[in-house]
Amino acid sequence: MMRKERKSVLRYFGRVTRDLYAIMPWEVSGVILLELLEAAAGFLQVSAAAGFFDAAGRWLEGGADRNLVLRRAGLFVVAMGLPMLCRLLVEALQNLPMFLKHHRLIHRLHGRVASVPLIRLEEPEFHNEVWRAKMSVYNFGLVNYFFGFIDLLPLLVRFLGTVWVIAAFHVSFIPLALLSVLPSILVRFRYQRERYSMKRAQTPLERRKDYLWQVLTGRSLAKELRTMGTEKYIREKWALARDQVMDETLAFERKNGNRVLRGDLFKFFGVGASIGLSIWFAHRGLISLGQFAACIAAFGSLQSMAESVMNQLAWQKGRADFAGDYYDFFDNEAEEEEGEDYPGLQDRIEARDVSFCYPGSGKEALSGVSLAIRKGERVVIVGENGSGKTTLSKVMAGIYRPEKGRVLYDGKDALSYDKDSFYKSFSVIQQNFVKYQFTVRENIGISRPAQIHNDERLLKSARDAGIEGTVRRAGGLDAQLGREFDGVELSGGEWQKLAIARGLNKDADVIILDEPTSALDSLVEYDILVKFLDMTRGKTSVIISHRIGLGRFADRIIVMKDGRVAQTGTHDELLAMGGEYGRMWHEQAKWYQ
Ligand code: ADP
């Protein structure tokens, strides 16, 4: 998804100014004041230089008194020194505090990522956008863009000052100076435009590099890399991606270096022409000898000023594009809609003719699913891998929006509720649960932060999930877990039980358990799930499992097949019915006998 419209260089100025001022008002105001002072000094510089050269020239010709030359020399020195002092102060202000504080923009980005509909996370372009927005902040995109304009102020004033001085000699110097820098400026604008396009196109490659880096250095995959002998392959894959980025960048810089050189040649013609013009003016007696020297100096100064101003503008064009990466993310990504407070489940959750298709996949993961789960019912969803169990639970929980059909909570669309209040009454324990490298207390208590210091509650959740002994052995609730920060490592099964403890600790009305038990051996898994069903008596609970035998302990079983509800009923009803459930039951019966 490339942005098509051409962006004005000023497009983000208002937003960046507002945002940076909100984060660091003192620094921003200080820099603006200093830059204004520098601009004023710059103006003084041009007229002081002209005045000094003129007086010195006249003095050499015997036409001016020495004191005037000294006074003007003094003014000239002050005018030269003041901008340097301002620059030093600006740099001190811009450096550490600003660059530290502006990372708050990343914080805001995290907040926004957390508020987009979860289905967006299934799309690679979303991750490209987040990457670019993140890099925009990490590379100081917004700060550079803002201060680029502020830095332009003194440059502009000095430029105008120079124009004013040189116009006093002869206006023809002005178009001459501007024309002589035009080719190199055009080259620089093009450079900025193409550089941004290149970087933008490299986003997926940069992300791949980042991913490979994590695979190579992360702890969780290290064992697989070593034992499977895949490390060398992945290292080479990373090097290949790195080389591609470097080759493209080098080729680009080389091509542009040549262009810049050719553009710069034009400037010499300008200098030659200005000397010729000055000689001609002097010859015609239009300017004095002192003015002749000042004229040539002022032309050089005008030329380099014009170049600096335009060059800075070209950079600003590029910076606008990079700053835009940050704001485009906020503009392009719709937030979850706000809704009304969720009062809690009163009667039933219902799916009506729901169909759902993952982005980029041509196949429906759910097609025409209709079912109802009553409050307090304990339902087990069974079915083969890929039959749509997880997708169904996500759509029912309002995590994904159905393409067709509706999911209703007590007759109202699940999507019409405020997400925060809605999820307060939900506990979803997922297949790929998180192993937080935190303390036991945080691992369990994070699902209800207000109760994180309630030891009794946390220990009860641990007990219910069958992990009390492990907590004791690890050293209690405040023991650090995981090797990342020198804590106690748990087995895969223990981590899974911990995730279940976290889910139970939330004490939600509706609990969804999506097979987070694959690392447990079959009997333990079965035991935990049966206990779980028992514990959730009186709550609405949904267990997704390929363990068909669980159905015996549930109030109702939903059998999924190829994205559709194949059967529903109790264990006995379904067995009597025959079909998919009966087939799966007989296949797995050995586990339960
Ligand atoms: P189950 O939980 O029964 O194993 P899922 O609900 O995970 O099944 O998957 C149902 C179908 O949707 C499968 O064909 C699977 O390949 C597809 N699918 C699941 N997740 C995604 C995804 N993130 N993107 C695209 N397709 C997906």
Side-chain angles (χ1 to χ4, degrees), residues 119 121-123 356-366 381-394 400 431 514-515 544-545 560-563:
I119 195 68
L121 272 68
E122 302 293 324
E123 299 189 43
F356 178 81
C357 186
Y358 283 98
S361 142
K363 186 175 139 265
E364 280 189 334
L366 294 178
I381 305 181
V382 294
E384 288 179 341
N385 276 339
S387 58
K389 304 183 294 291
T390 298
T391 311
L392 176 62
S393 73
K394 287 186 171 154
Y400 294 158
Q431 243 164 19
D514 183 3
E515 289 195 303
I544 295 164
S545 181
M560 292 296 293
K561 189 174 169 59
D562 297 333

Side-chain angles (χ1 to χ4, degrees), residues 120-138:
R120 276 296 283 150
L121 272 68
E122 302 293 324
E123 299 189 43
E125 184 49 31
F126 172 82
H127 298 284
N128 290 341
E129 255 188 10
V130 176
W131 172 271
R132 283 194 291 264
K134 180 182 88 175
M135 292 321 282
S136 172
V137 181
Y138 281 163

